[in-house]
């Protein structure tokens, strides 16, 4: 599974890394540390990643590829 996090849409609510700390991390300013990137979700953490996607109030996180 591949996830994309929009730097433009992320406003630092922090729900992604609170709900799914093994997938998402905060940066020094409280935004998603992966903002502005695409990354592969480690095996076994797909459900956590989906939770992070679904809890983002801005819709800044999306699934790019499910494999």
């Amino acid at each position: 599974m591949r996830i994309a996090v929009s730097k433009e849409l992320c406003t630092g609510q922090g729900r992604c890394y609170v709900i799914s700390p093994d997938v998402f991390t905060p940066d020094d300013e409280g935004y998603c540390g992966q903002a502005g990137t695409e990354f592969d979700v480690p095996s076994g953490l797909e459900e956590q990643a989906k939770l992070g996607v679904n809890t983002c109030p801005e819709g800044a996180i999306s699934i790019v590829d499910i494999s």
Side-chain angles (χ1 to χ4, degrees), residues 1-66:
M1 171 184 282
R2 190 160 180 82
I3 297 287
V5 183
S6 170
K7 188 172 186 147
E8 291 78 26
L9 294 177
C10 180
T11 62
Q13 297 286 325
R15 292 182 187 176
C16 59
Y17 54 79
V18 169
I19 298 286
S20 306
D22 295 328
V23 178
F24 303 99
T25 58
D27 68 9
D28 292 337
E29 297 174 359
Y31 293 89
C32 178
Q34 291 83 2
T37 68
E38 282 189 16
F39 64 97
D40 292 317
V41 175
S43 181
L45 297 177
E46 294 87 1
E47 290 305 312
Q48 255 197 65
K50 289 177 188 176
L51 257 163
V53 169
N54 293 330
T55 60
C56 180
E58 298 88 8
I61 307 170
S62 58
I63 299 172
V64 177
D65 181 38
I66 298 175

